[in-house]
Amino acid sequence: MHYFELFDIPVSYDVDLNAINTRYLELQRVVHPDRYAGKSEREKLLAVQKAAEINDALAVLKHPVKRAEYMLSEKGKDIRAEQQTLQDPMFLMQQMELREALEDLPQSNDPEAAIEDFEQEIKLLDKQYSAQLSSQLSSDDDAQLDAAADNIRKLKFVYKLRDELARIEDSLFD
Amino acid sequence: MALLQIAEPGQSAAPHEHKLAIGIDLGTTNSLVATVQSGEAKTLTDFDGSAMLPSVVRYEADKITVGQAAAAASAEDPTNTLISVKRFLGKSQAEIEQSYGQLPYEFVENNGSLAINTLVGAINPVQASAEILKSLKERATASFAGEDIKGAVITVPAYFDDAQRQSTKDAAELAGLNVLRLLNEPTAAAVAYGLDSGQEGVIAVYDLGGGTFDISILRLNQGVFEVLATGGDSSLGGDDFDSALVAHFKEQTQINDLNNSELRLFINKAKACKEALSSYETVNVGLELRDTAHTVTVTRAQFAEMVMPLVKKTLRACRRAVKDADVSHEEILQVVMVGGSTRMPVIREQVEVFFDKKPLTSIDPDRVVAIGAAIQADILVGNKPDSDMLLLDVLPLSLGLETMGGLVEKIIPRNTTIPVARAQEFTTFKDGQTAMSLHVLQGERELVDDCRSLAKFSLKGIPAMAAGAAHIRVTFKVDADGLLSVSAMEKSTGVQAEIQVKPSFGLSDDQVAQMLKDSMSNAKEDMQARMLKEQQVEALRVLEALEASLSTDSQLLSDDELAALRSEMQKLADLRETAISPDEIKTAIEAVDAASSEFASRRMDMSIKQALTGQSVDEV
C-alpha cells in the first residue's frame, strides 16, 4: 500500500500517530518546495507535487475514515465515490433521531452542555463502528471486507454528524 | 595551496557568495523591509532613520510620492492620496462599500477590476501597492550600494484569499521584484519569535494590523514551524477602530455630512486619539472645522465599549482556530501579539481573558513580521544551505465548486496543509457536450452567494460523447504561496481540456502584462533588452543549479543519459552568449528542463529514501 510505504510504517488500520507525524516531518524536510527555491522549474514543480502527495498521504493516514476507505480500495473495493447504499433500517432510524436531536440543539436551555453531551454520544458511536475495522481490513476474505465496508459507511454517518455539530457550534457562537 | 578562484566577469559566481534577499511586510498602514546581514535580521531604515514607511501613495500631475510626505498631504489632497489600499486588493467596489462605508475616493470598475480615480487617471490597488514595494526596494538597494536584489519574501495576512494573494504577487511583479515566496504574516512572526526565544511547543499568534486580523495556532518543534490552524478576518483592523471613533466624533459634533477633506481630518484625529488612549485614560480631541472649534472627550472605558463588538469578532475567530487546531487552551504555551493594533489595552485585556494567560507583548509588534520574512528570504535565496528550518502552512479558507441550486461543494477544506492537490470528477449531462463551465469559490458557507467568487472556468474541447460517458477530472492545486491553479482532463481519451481563467476580482494575466509593459515604456526601458537580460540570468541560474546537483549525484544517470543532458546544457550555455531574442534562451531552458526531468525525479526519490533511513548516500 503506497501511502504506508511512503511513510515507511506497517500496513495496519491501527496506526501510531506519533510515528506518522515524525515520518511526515522527515519527508517534508527533503521535499518541501522551500528546499527547491533556487532550483529549476522542473524540480520546483516536482517538489510541489511530492509535497502535496505527502500532505495527502498524511491526511488519509491520520483520518480514521479516510484511512479505512483507502485500505479497502487498495484491496479492490473502492467505496469512496459511491452513492449511499447502506441498508440497515435500525441504523438509519437511529441516525434520523440523532439528526433531529442535533437540529434541536440550538434551542436547548444550555446549548454548550448539550453540545458536549452530543460529542460524547458521537465518540461512543465512533468506537462502536471502528472496533472491528482493524481485523476486518487485515483480512483478504470478501465477506470480511464487505463487513468492513458497511462499518465504514456507518462511520461516515458518524463523522458527518460530527461536522454538522461543529457547524452548529460555529453558528451558535458566531 | 593558494586560495584563489578565477571567474570570468558575469560568469558563475562562487557558491558561498552572499546574495541580497529581502523580506517585505506590506502592511495596511505601514510597510517595512528587512534583510539578514552577518547572520542577523534587521529592518532597513530610510534617510531619517525610520524603519516604517507609511503605506500611502500620492499621485500628482508630475510625480508620485510614497510614505510620510504623501501621508502629510492626506487631508489637503484626499482624493489623490491613497491610504490603506491593501484593504482594496482583490475586492470589488460593492464589497468595499459594504465593508468600509464612506471613503474619500471615487471608485471605478471595469471588467471586475477596481480602480480609484486620481488626477493622473484610474489607479488600481495593485499599482498603488507596487509603488510602495518599489520604494522599499529602492531603500534596500540604496542600503547596499546598488547591489541587485536577488529575491524577496512578501508577507500577506494568513486569511487573505486567493484573489488577494494573487494581487499582492502581481504588485511585486510590477515593482520588478523576484518573489521567492508569499509568507503568511503570523507565520513570519512565529519564525522571528521562535528562532529568537528557542520556544518549543504550541503557540498562538494574534495579529491585529491596520486593516486585517489573523490568528494562527502553530507547533514549534526543532526548526519546524507547523501551522495547525488559522483564522481571521481580512477586513478587520485598526482602521475599523478608527471608524468607531469617527462615528463617535460625528455624533458629538453633530456633523454628519463630512466632505472628503473633513472626513480625512476626522480619520486622522481618530487614529491619534486611539493611539493616545493606549497611554492615557482620557483624551481630549480638538476638531476645528467650519469656523468652529469642537472638543470631544474620550475615555479609555468609553472607547473599550465602542469597539467591543470588533474585539469580540477577533475572539470568535480565535475560538474557531483553537478548535480547528484540535488543541486545548492549556496546551497553548504562549500568545504572541503582533501588529500595531495590539498596543490597545482593551485588546491585551480581552486576549488575556480568552487564552487565560498574559499575552507576550515584549517583542516589537511592528517589525517582527518583516524580520521573519527576511529570515526566510535569506534561506530561500540559498544563503544558508544547512538550515533545517521548515515552514508548513495551511489553506485559510475552503475551496469549492458551485453545484446545482447555487450550493458550494467543498473540494479542499480550510486548514489543509499546503501544497495540496485534490481531484474531482465530473461528467457531461448532454449528448455531444463539448464544454462545461465551473465556478470556483472560496469560503465556509454553503451558498454560492455567501462565498467569494474566485474564478469562472470554461472547459472546452471535451470529446463529443454520449451524456455521462465523458469523465472530466478537474485537479485543484494550491502551491506553497497559497495560490490556486486548476487543470482538467477527459479521462478516457486523455484529452487535456483547455481552461480559460476569468478571475472574478483583481487583474487578469493580460492586464498585468500590459501594466508591466506600460511601466517599462514609461521608464524608457527597452522591453526586449530587459527580457533578454532576465532570460540570461535565468539560464545561468538553471545551469548553476544543475551543475551543483550533477557534482554530487551524477551517478544517478547512465552515461548516455548524462551525455544527453550535458549536450542540452552546452547548447543553453552557448545560446546564453549568442542569442538575441529572449525566446531562444527560453526554449533552450525548457529543453534543459525536460532533459533533466528524470534526473530531478531520481534525485528526489533518493532524498526521500535517505530521509526515511536516516543514512547518508555513502552508507546505502
Side-chain angles (χ1 to χ4, degrees), chain B residues 503-525:
Chain B
S504 307
F505 302 102
L507 305 169
S508 69
D509 286 353
D510 291 346
Q511 282 172 299
V512 176
Q514 187 57 45
M515 277 160 42
L516 203 57
K517 221 167 150 182
D518 292 348
S519 72
M520 283 182 210
S521 53
N522 286 345
K524 300 224 177 354
E525 266 191 49

Side-chain angles (χ1 to χ4, degrees), chain A residues 5-8 21 23-56 58-59 62 66 119 164 166-167 169-170 172-174, chain B residues 180-181 221-224 226 316 319-320 323 376 379-381 387-392 414 417-422 446 477-480 538 541-542 545 549 590 593-594 596-597 600-601 603-605 607-608 611-612:
Chain A
E5 277 165 29
L6 187 62
F7 275 62
D8 198 25
N21 282 326
R23 290 294 189 202
Y24 171 69
L25 293 183
E26 284 167 2
L27 288 168
Q28 285 293 3
R29 271 191 204 275
V30 296
V31 303
H32 195 273
D34 280 2
R35 290 270 174 274
Y36 294 81
K39 298 287 162 56
S40 69
E41 291 306 315
R42 179 76 51 169
E43 282 182 286
K44 281 186 195 170
L45 193 68
L46 203 61
V48 172
Q49 279 170 357
K50 209 67 189 174
E53 186 189 348
I54 288 163
N55 280 331
D56 210 31
L58 177 77
K62 269 173 104 167
K66 287 184 189 157
E119 262 172 7
E164 193 64 14
R167 207 183 57 76
E169 204 182 343
D170 266 0
L172 216 51
F173 300 114
D174 270 358
Chain B
L180 297 166
R181 182 73 74 235
N221 174 25
Q222 296 175 9
V224 181
E226 187 181 7
R316 280 199 292 273
R319 202 182 50 77
R320 202 177 74 170
K323 196 172 166 54
Q376 205 208 7
I379 293 172
L380 292 183
V381 84
S387 160
D388 61 356
M389 186 171 93
L390 177 63
L391 308 188
L392 298 166
R414 70 168 188 248
T417 306
I418 52 173
V420 61
R422 292 278 156 86
E446 288 174 334
K477 275 187 222 153
V478 180
D479 65 15
E538 179 62 14
R541 201 180 62 78
V542 167
S549 307
E590 281 161 8
D593 207 28
S596 67
S597 128
S601 154
R603 257 168 60 81
M604 182 155 301
D605 287 343
S607 315
I608 291 174
L612 288 176

